[in-house]
């Protein structure tokens, strides 16, 4: 379990402290789609896509997406193992549903962001942006719920 958590933290660090700042710098300092907790609208997406350099676009589609292919699974499995060990009964349904839901929305987000990055700026529609943004918000909501459940179970276990 320790190695799993270490791998998860390493992938997270690579995304947050290396890939995201590199892409953001290639987009005039605008934050990447994946880290916008509250989502983004069509105008914000257009601004990011217009500002993003070709090398930034290639890095986002290549290296960053490769790391972000492994990361959601690592997070989900890490949370599943921890939550499963701490929960019993009906809470185990949440222990499975929350991290798997976060992972599914992360993969949906990755696919929709990749589609926007591959499209010509005029081909990116408000509907494309809305699906990607909604997936980002859902990912973070389910991740927060997973972490809240984990914290609650840890507190409950320590009090008990």
């Amino acid at each position: 379990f320790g190695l799993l958590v270490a791998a998860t933290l390493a992938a997270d660090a690579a995304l947050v402290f290396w890939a995201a700042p590199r892409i953001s710098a290639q987009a005039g300092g605008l934050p990447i789609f994946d880290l916008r907790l509250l989502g983004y609208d069509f105008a914000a997406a257009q601004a990011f896509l217009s500002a993003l350099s070709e090398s930034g676009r290639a890095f986002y589609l290549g290296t960053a997406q490769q790391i972000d292919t492994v990361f959601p699974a690592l997070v989900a499995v890490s949370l599943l193992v921890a939550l499963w060990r701490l929960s019993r009964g009906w809470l185990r349904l949440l222990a499975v549903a929350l991290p798997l839901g976060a992972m599914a929305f992360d993969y949906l987000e990755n696919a929709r962001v990749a589609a926007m990055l591959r499209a010509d700026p005029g081909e990116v529609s408000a509907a494309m942006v809305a699906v990607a943004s909604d997936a980002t918000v859902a990912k973070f909501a389910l991740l927060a719920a997973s972490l809240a459940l984990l914290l609650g179970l840890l507190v409950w276990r320590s009090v008990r």
Side-chain angles (χ1 to χ4, degrees):
F1 181 72
L3 289 174
L4 176 63
V5 172
T8 303
L9 293 174
D12 187 38
L15 285 169
V16 172
F17 298 114
W18 177 61
R22 183 172 172 176
I23 296 164
S24 181
Q26 295 290 315
L30 295 172
I32 68 170
F33 294 122
D34 306 67
L35 297 181
R36 296 183 188 207
L37 290 147
L38 302 176
Y40 40 91
D41 61 16
F42 183 67
Q46 286 290 17
F48 179 85
L49 293 168
S50 296
L52 187 61
S53 70
E54 284 306 314
S55 63
R57 185 179 308 272
F59 182 77
Y60 204 158
L61 281 167
T63 303
Q65 286 264 316
Q66 289 171 350
I67 297 169
D68 206 14
T69 297
V70 175
F71 178 66
L74 288 171
V75 170
V77 172
S78 295
L79 286 168
L80 276 169
V81 169
L83 289 168
W84 189 265
R85 287 181 178 174
L86 294 170
S87 64
R88 300 284 180 265
W90 65 270
L91 278 178
R92 283 202 165 161
L93 292 174
L94 283 176
V96 171
L98 293 174
L100 289 180
M103 180 181 74
F105 279 112
D106 201 342
Y107 286 132
L108 175 60
E109 169 198 57
N110 291 347
R112 296 296 77 213
V113 167
M116 290 191 301
L117 291 169
R118 286 188 184 101
D120 290 328
E123 295 175 344
V124 175
S125 68
M128 288 174 73
V129 172
V131 171
S133 178
D134 289 349
T136 301
V137 172
K139 167 189 78 173
F140 281 119
L142 290 171
L143 182 59
S146 297
L147 293 171
L149 178 59
L150 178 60
L151 181 61
L153 288 168
L154 287 169
V155 167
W156 178 77
R157 187 172 191 181
S158 70
V159 169
R160 196 171 165 240

